[in-house]
């Protein structure tokens, strides 16, 4: 019988968190294997997105990688601009102070090229110690013997044993669920992000449209009444010669709205202000979507079991700070903490204590402080209810409130509040901050945007799906719909980012079928082929949900 494969450390997932952990481990001489289910790191990954470095830690990516300046980042993000939308008007506020809080550097990134480059650095380093990266491998869960995690199980390989296992397999982590650390949770614990990447005529065109210096970048945010009252907003980030435009919504609010995410995103793309930036020579090149854990509610209090640790989105390590969402930098830091815990435990001759060491370090770190600050917990206790939401709405819609919002004094106070890191970290998850306040600001003090007609036309949902790259695992569906009743699974029809009511080419749709008594009834029908593996239907429908086999399913080129 062949001897089982064994490594000192196995890392599952090739995003920033897993790659950071693997690089640090390998750099310190630990034999490390990283397993990635995509064709290469980044092929399954999506971000908005901005990668941050912060002044309150020495665990940034440039602290880890000596050649970070060679990384294929897009543009440094200098400004953070909020556009309040309401009553057909726009009021623009500069909230860069929030963006620059504890700010060392920040870059817009596209995950497919960035993570691929990062993976190449990891593979080169890990090979020095007999490790490396294996792509096209789906890890289906931890390897458990005698009740303890001792490695990982995959679809493609024999069981792999490890002294230390790092679960960095993203928001839809099978490792974390099968280790019993958390389940899918409720819709209110999640955001859903959807994005398109738009190719501009040139880098110079990006700089001219946005008034940027050579090589510089900017971020624009959008909130108010444009999105049918759904709790969340839109974003637009400048890349080198592309734009990342998208939306992020609370999943429970999206489910209640009965409006599809791609349709809400198109409202942003078709807004006259945004049309002016895009112009008529641009081309949409990729559509993507993902679930994003709300770290305030989903961050694991115990991020380990036995000698397996969870990091990044798999552990819910995402900071939602008002309009700012940070995740990649927290994942990188957590990955470095996880690596250091094993390195130190091994040096002390107590490798089996690594996971507990990691949890202790994480608890004292800026990562944990960022996720669930005490001021948010207090604000949520008193403010996340209909009474508080209605009271706040009344305060800006009565005669005095309207007068204040029209005054320069009032606008300055609103801008300062939106840009305040302290207030952002205690912002309760209610409609007021996402919809009511920005809409009232725009209605009272905004200006009507000159509508010169639609010059850029976004793709239809059918064309977006058709343009994606899939390697379909024929005959082996990774999702099984277990209850086709609309009452059980019907919300997946409009929350799945590749489905919509009345659209028959997506994953989910409503069909009418004959019943044995000669009547008919509506059922939810499902087709796995267009799936982009975001995980939304695992929460919004009754399914058996897992990832496709290694190398199968959607493969992003931008991410």
């Amino acid at each position: 019988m062949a001897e089982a494969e064994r490594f000192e450390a196995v890392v599952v997932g090739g995003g920033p968190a897993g790659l950071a952990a693997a690089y640090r481990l390998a750099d310190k001489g630990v034999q490390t294997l990283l397993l990635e289910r995509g064709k290469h790191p980044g092929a399954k990954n999506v971000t908005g997105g901005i990668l941050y470095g912060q002044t309150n830690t020495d665990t940034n990516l440039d602290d880890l990688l000596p050649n970070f300046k060679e990384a294929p980042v897009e543009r440094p993000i200098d400004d953070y601009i909020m556009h309040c939308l309401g009553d057909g008007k726009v009021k623009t506020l500069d909230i860069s102070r929030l963006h620059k809080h504890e700010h060392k550097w920040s870059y817009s990134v596209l995950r497919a090229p960035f993570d691929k480059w990062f993976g190449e650095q990891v593979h080169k380093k890990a090979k020095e110690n007999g490790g490396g990266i294996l792509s096209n491998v789906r890890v289906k869960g931890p390897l458990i013997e005698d009740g303890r995690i001792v490695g990982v199980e995959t679809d493609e390989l024999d069981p792999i044993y490890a002294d230390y296992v790092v679960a960095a397999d993203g928001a839809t982590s099978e490792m974390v669920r099968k280790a019993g650390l958390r389940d899918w949770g409720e819709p209110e614990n999640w955001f859903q992000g959807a994005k398109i990447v738009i190719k501009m005529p040139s880098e110079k065109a990006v700089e001219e449209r946005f008034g940027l210096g050579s090589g510089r970048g900017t971020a624009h945010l959008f909130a108010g009444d444009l999105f049918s009252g759904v709790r969340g907003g839109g974003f637009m980030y400048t890349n080198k010669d592309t734009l990342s435009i998208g939306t992020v919504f609370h999943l429970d609010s999206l489910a209640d709205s009965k409006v599809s995410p791609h349709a809400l995103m198109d409202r942003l793309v078709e807004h006259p202000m945004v049309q002016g930036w895009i112009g008529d020579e641009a081309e949409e090149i990729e559509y993507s979507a993902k679930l994003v854990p709300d770290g305030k509610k989903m961050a694991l209090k115990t991020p380990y079991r036995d000698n397996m640790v969870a990091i990044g989105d798999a552990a819910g390590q995402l900071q939602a700070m008002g309009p700012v969402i940070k995740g990649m930098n927290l994942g990188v830091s957590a990955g470095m903490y996880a690596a250091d815990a094993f390195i130190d435990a091994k040096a002390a001759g107590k490798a089996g204590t690594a996971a507990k060491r990691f949890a202790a370090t994480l608890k004292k770190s800026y990562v944990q402080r960022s996720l669930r600050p005490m001021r948010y917990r207090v604000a949520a206790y008193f403010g996340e209810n209909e009474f508080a939401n209605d009271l706040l709405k009344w305060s800006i819609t009565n005669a005095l409130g309207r007068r204040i919002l029209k005054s320069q004094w009032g606008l300055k106070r609103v801008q300062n509040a939106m840009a305040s890191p302290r207030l952002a970290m205690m912002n309760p998850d209610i409609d007021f901050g996402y919809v009511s306040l920005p809409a009232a600001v725009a209605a009272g003090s905004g200006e009507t945007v000159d509508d010169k007609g639609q010059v850029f036309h976004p793709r239809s949902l059918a064309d977006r799906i058709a343009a994606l790259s899939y390697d379909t695992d024929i005959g082996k569906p990774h999702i099984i719909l277990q209850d086709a009743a609309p009452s059980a699974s019907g919300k997946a029809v409009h929350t799945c980012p590749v489905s919509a009511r009345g659209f028959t080419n997506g994953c989910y749709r409503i069909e009418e079928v004959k019943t044995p008594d000669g009547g008919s009834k509506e059922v939810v029908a499902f087709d796995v082929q267009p799936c982009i593996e975001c995980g939304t239907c695992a929460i919004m429908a009754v399914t058996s949900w897992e990832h496709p086999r290694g190398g199968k399913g959607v493969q992003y080129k931008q991410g």
Side-chain angles (χ1 to χ4, degrees):
M1 184 176 177
E3 186 175 345
E5 287 274 11
R6 174 176 285 278
F7 291 83
E8 285 187 281
V10 169
V11 179
V12 182
L19 291 166
Y23 188 94
R24 182 81 136 201
L25 286 163
D27 190 45
K28 299 299 182 181
V30 177
Q31 186 191 38
T32 305
L33 176 67
L34 186 145
L35 299 172
E36 163 59 38
R37 64 187 179 88
K39 294 185 183 297
H40 59 77
K44 296 284 187 180
N45 300 342
V46 177
T47 184
I50 300 176
L51 173 65
Y52 285 88
Q54 297 197 181
T55 58
N56 59 341
T57 181
D58 60 358
T59 55
N60 296 304
L61 205 46
D62 60 335
D63 299 310
L64 176 70
L65 296 175
N67 61 339
F68 176 67
K69 289 184 179 179
E70 300 172 11
V73 296
E74 297 296 315
R75 289 179 180 268
I77 299 300
D78 299 323
D79 306 304
Y80 220 65
I81 308 301
M82 170 64 78
H83 302 285
C84 300
L85 311 173
D87 198 23
K89 301 177 183 179
V90 178
K91 182 63 181 178
T92 298
L93 303 174
D94 188 337
I95 60 169
S96 298
R97 181 164 63 96
L98 178 60
H99 165 66
K100 293 176 180 176
H101 176 63
E102 297 174 334
H103 178 275
K104 183 180 179 184
W105 47 259
S106 57
Y107 294 94
S108 56
V109 296
L110 295 169
R111 289 286 295 278
F114 180 83
D115 291 1
K116 185 178 182 180
W117 174 87
F118 195 177
E120 289 166 354
Q121 315 312 303
V122 171
H123 186 62
K124 186 186 303 182
K125 180 66 66 175
K127 281 176 65 178
E128 297 173 4
N129 307 305
I133 292 179
L134 281 180
S135 297
N136 297 314
V137 176
R138 177 210 162 207
V139 176
K140 57 186 180 182
L143 176 64
I144 301 175
E145 293 183 354
D146 298 324
R148 292 187 59 81
I149 295 173
V150 295
V152 298
E153 292 189 285
T154 77
D155 276 333
E156 293 78 16
L157 307 170
D158 290 334
I160 300 172
Y161 289 80
D163 300 324
Y164 192 51
V165 177
V166 180
D169 49 336
T172 56
S173 172
E174 292 183 84
M175 289 290 290
V176 165
R177 294 199 311 278
K178 291 178 181 177
L181 296 180
R182 69 162 166 83
D183 58 17
W184 286 101
E186 298 301 319
E188 56 264 32
N189 297 341
W190 294 92
F191 303 100
Q192 186 200 78
K195 183 183 83 166
I196 56 172
V197 177
I198 294 176
K199 184 77 167 67
M200 298 291 282
S202 65
E203 292 185 27
K204 186 177 180 181
V206 172
E207 290 160 4
E208 289 177 348
R209 300 274 170 84
F210 290 88
L212 302 172
S214 178
R216 309 310 296 181
T218 186
H220 291 254
L221 307 178
F222 306 84
D225 68 1
L226 185 65
F227 305 113
S228 297
V230 183
R231 212 163 64 247
F235 62 84
M236 177 167 57
Y237 305 140
T238 54
N239 303 319
K240 285 181 179 177
D241 62 352
T242 64
L243 303 177
S244 292
I245 303 180
T247 52
V248 180
F249 296 116
H250 286 259
L251 187 57
D252 61 321
S253 186
L254 184 64
D256 291 341
S257 75
K258 299 183 180 179
V259 183
S260 297
H262 77 96
L264 291 170
M265 182 175 64
D266 284 348
R267 291 185 191 177
L268 175 61
V269 176
E270 292 168 355
H271 190 278
M273 173 182 277
V274 177
Q275 287 278 309
W277 280 311
I278 298 174
D280 61 356
E281 298 178 23
E283 177 190 5
E284 181 180 331
I285 57 176
E286 187 174 82
Y287 173 63
S288 59
K290 66 172 290 185
L291 281 184
V292 183
D294 184 346
K296 301 187 298 294
K297 300 167 184 176
M298 289 288 280
L300 295 178
K301 294 180 180 178
T302 305
Y304 71 94
R305 172 182 164 183
D306 305 326
N307 231 25
M308 184 195 96
V309 300
I311 59 174
D313 278 5
Q317 290 162 350
L318 182 130
Q319 180 186 22
M321 189 169 72
V324 175
I325 293 181
K326 296 181 180 180
M328 289 181 283
N329 62 310
L330 303 186
V332 166
S333 293
M336 294 168 72
Y337 299 149
D340 289 344
F342 181 76
I343 292 161
D344 294 344
K346 179 185 173 185
K350 299 179 180 179
T353 66
K356 289 185 178 180
R357 286 173 182 250
F358 164 69
T361 299
L362 186 69
K363 187 175 182 179
K364 295 182 289 186
S365 74
Y366 88 98
V367 173
Q368 203 69 9
R369 291 194 301 272
S370 301
L371 298 176
R372 196 183 286 115
M374 176 58 73
R375 62 179 72 102
Y376 165 74
R377 282 179 274 176
V378 173
Y381 180 81
F382 290 104
E384 287 189 1
N385 56 73
E386 285 300 317
F387 175 77
N389 193 45
D390 290 343
L391 182 62
L392 288 167
K393 284 183 182 178
W394 174 83
S395 72
I396 58 172
T397 54
N398 64 46
L400 177 60
R402 292 195 302 272
R403 286 185 63 187
I404 290 173
L405 289 182
K406 287 182 179 180
S407 70
Q408 287 301 312
W409 181 88
L411 280 176
K412 188 66 175 177
R413 297 302 177 275
V414 171
Q415 179 170 302
N416 288 341
M418 287 186 174
S420 166
R422 179 171 290 275
L423 291 179
M425 293 194 67
M426 61 185 291
N427 194 27
D429 290 334
I430 54 178
D431 296 345
F432 178 77
Y434 294 99
V435 182
S436 306
L437 178 59
V441 167
S445 300
E447 297 180 357
T448 302
V449 178
D450 184 17
D451 189 349
K452 298 179 180 179
Q454 189 170 344
V455 295
F456 171 81
H457 297 272
R459 285 172 171 165
S460 67
L461 182 56
D463 287 342
R464 285 172 172 161
I465 295 170
L468 289 170
S469 297
Y470 291 94
D471 188 344
T472 304
D473 202 358
I474 298 172
K476 294 185 178 294
H478 62 281
I479 301 172
I480 304 296
L481 180 63
Q482 296 179 317
D483 190 338
S487 59
S489 301
K491 287 185 177 181
V493 175
H494 68 270
T495 54
C496 168
V498 290
S499 301
R501 294 179 180 274
F503 179 64
T504 59
N505 295 326
C507 284
Y508 288 90
R509 60 191 179 277
I510 297 291
E511 289 186 350
E512 190 171 290
V513 299
K514 299 294 184 183
T515 57
D517 62 2
S520 64
K521 67 175 182 178
E522 288 189 335
V523 298
V524 177
F526 173 68
D527 178 4
V528 74
Q529 195 282 324
C531 177
I532 55 175
E533 303 158 38
C534 65
T536 298
C537 65
I539 301 166
M540 303 311 304
V542 181
T543 65
S544 170
W545 197 102
E546 58 186 25
H547 295 112
R549 292 189 300 165
K552 301 298 182 180
V554 70
Q555 308 285 330
Y556 290 116
K557 297 177 182 177
Q558 306 295 322

